[in-house]
Amino acid sequence: MKNQLLSTLLFFVFSTSAFTQTKYDLLILQEGTKEVQVKEVGENLIKYTHVDENTLYSISKFRVSKIVFASGREEVFENPFPNIKGLEDSDKVYITYIPEEVEDLEVKGELFSKATGVTVFSSMHNVKNRSLDKMKAEASMLGANVVLIADAQSRGNYYGNENSPSQSTQTVLFGQAFNSYPMDLNKVKEKLNGSNYVLYQTFSLNRNDFSPKMTMSLQYNEDRQPITHQIKDIIERDGRLYVLVPDLRTKTKELEIISLREGILTVMEKHKNSVYNYILQTEESEFMKNLPSLLATD
């Protein structure tokens, strides 16, 4: 009788445990794990409800690494969108012409790019690629890793005559920039609050430029020490972070934080037809950590 009672009790415990562990599905995201009930896995979106709720939500399949279903089955998704560091990775920016592929991704801004051949003998193919490269560069400077091309206009070389001038080939692109890797705002604020930095590099891109321009911005004081500044104000607004840097000569007061990687902070501003990236080396960067030894060997 005791053995039968013990067996019944163990069966109840294990059944309850199994039910508790497999009641909900798990969405494994880049920023963490969500416990949900998956309703549909579509071509680009995953639809789900939160635990004990009926409201239906959608999330881009490209933001999900894996689904662990309540049944124990797992479904893994490959993300075609690269995780780029900034302008140095602009060639990796993902280009799409399919609006459904960017559903649920963070919108970073409108894009425009124009490239014109130098002469009427310019290659139309090369001019198209140059226009696309400029759009990728602008997207990366906005903190985006995905570009949706909304419209593309091209003309070929036109050899003029006595009544009309010649025109070289030209390509104009219109698009929108997106980011598929959300930034952990609280983590960034915690790391940056009150930290010191030096302005290391400045990148600029005007829509009429041939390509982005880079300037070394590191400045030294009379003791040959890099001039440092302190981050004092961090503002969170509409899901984005901004810093006030009164010591820097910028076009606007607020600079948007684009990324913080290994102590290197990239902030951005837009002014008229130009976008600017300021590369700030914080105290946690390898540059600042190695600075004493570099100065000692100078």
Side-chain angles (χ1 to χ4, degrees):
M1 183 65 179
K2 290 183 178 180
N3 291 337
Q4 185 178 1
L5 182 61
L6 180 61
S7 299
T8 302
L9 181 61
L10 289 174
F11 176 79
F12 175 78
V13 170
F14 284 119
S15 298
T16 303
S17 175
F19 177 79
T20 302
Q21 292 175 1
T22 60
K23 187 176 181 180
Y24 302 111
D25 308 312
L26 297 178
L27 291 181
I28 312 300
L29 310 176
Q30 298 148 4
E31 62 268 27
T33 300
K34 283 186 177 181
E35 193 176 65
V36 301
Q37 288 184 318
V38 175
K39 299 298 183 180
E40 179 185 328
V41 179
E43 184 176 354
N44 297 292
L45 294 176
I46 297 171
K47 297 182 179 181
Y48 66 93
T49 60
H50 287 292
V51 175
D52 298 326
E53 294 183 9
N54 296 320
T55 304
L56 191 65
Y57 295 88
S58 297
I59 187 171
S60 170
K61 185 189 292 185
F62 304 127
R63 290 181 54 197
V64 179
S65 302
K66 181 171 64 174
I67 299 177
V68 180
F69 293 97
S71 63
R73 184 175 68 86
E74 297 184 359
E75 187 168 352
V76 179
F77 303 99
E78 291 188 8
N79 187 349
F81 305 146
N83 190 353
I84 66 172
K85 297 179 181 179
L87 183 57
E88 61 190 277
D89 290 332
S90 63
D91 61 314
K92 299 178 183 177
V93 171
Y94 184 90
I95 299 295
T96 181
Y97 295 84
I98 305 172
E100 289 77 13
E101 285 195 340
V102 297
E103 287 189 57
D104 188 49
L105 300 186
E106 178 189 9
V107 179
K108 301 299 291 187
E110 300 291 332
L111 299 171
F112 170 84
S113 178
K114 180 175 69 175
T116 306
V118 178
T119 70
V120 292
F121 301 106
S122 298
S123 165
M124 189 173 184
H125 176 74
N126 291 342
V127 170
K128 283 183 177 180
N129 285 342
R130 180 152 54 85
S131 182
L132 189 59
D133 288 343
K134 285 177 62 177
M135 180 163 280
K136 286 183 174 183
E138 183 177 356
S140 66
M141 293 178 73
L142 295 178
N145 63 332
V146 183
V147 167
L148 171 66
I149 302 292
D151 189 21
Q153 302 173 7
S154 294
R155 73 173 186 222
N157 290 310
Y158 172 72
Y159 304 95
N161 51 47
E162 59 183 7
N163 298 316
S164 60
S166 299
Q167 288 184 330
S168 58
T169 180
Q170 184 182 84
T171 293
V172 179
L173 300 175
F174 300 87
Q176 196 164 25
F178 295 86
N179 176 40
S180 66
Y181 291 92
M183 187 164 47
D184 189 332
L185 304 186
N186 291 328
K187 188 176 180 180
V188 171
K189 285 194 291 186
E190 182 181 349
K191 286 188 174 183
L192 289 181
N193 190 28
S195 63
N196 295 319
Y197 69 89
V198 297
L199 175 60
Y200 186 69
Q201 290 174 319
T202 300
F203 294 94
S204 64
L205 175 63
N206 184 284
R207 288 178 171 175
N208 294 319
D209 287 342
F210 203 85
S211 60
K213 299 176 182 178
M214 188 273 286
T215 303
M216 291 300 300
S217 305
L218 194 60
Q219 295 181 338
Y220 296 86
N221 59 23
E222 56 186 13
D223 297 322
R224 301 190 64 198
Q225 296 288 334
I227 298 175
T228 62
H229 309 281
Q230 188 179 53
I231 295 176
K232 297 179 180 179
D233 297 305
I234 303 176
I235 303 167
E236 182 176 346
R237 185 173 60 248
D238 299 329
R240 301 188 183 188
L241 289 181
Y242 301 84
V243 291
L244 297 178
V245 284
D247 297 318
L248 297 185
R249 298 183 61 182
T250 58
K251 308 296 182 182
T252 58
K253 292 182 179 180
E254 295 180 357
L255 303 179
E256 183 181 348
I257 296 177
I258 297 303
S259 69
L260 177 63
R261 301 171 185 269
E262 300 175 349
I264 302 175
L265 174 65
T266 302
V267 293
M268 180 274 298
E269 70 170 340
K270 296 172 66 177
H271 182 69
K272 296 183 179 179
N273 291 328
S274 297
V275 57
Y276 301 86
N277 276 179
Y278 303 97
I279 311 302
L280 312 180
Q281 299 276 358
T282 71
E283 297 165 306
E284 298 300 317
S285 67
E286 288 298 316
F287 173 80
M288 292 294 283
K289 289 179 180 178
N290 295 329
L291 195 57
S293 60
L294 292 175
L295 292 174
T297 57
D298 201 7

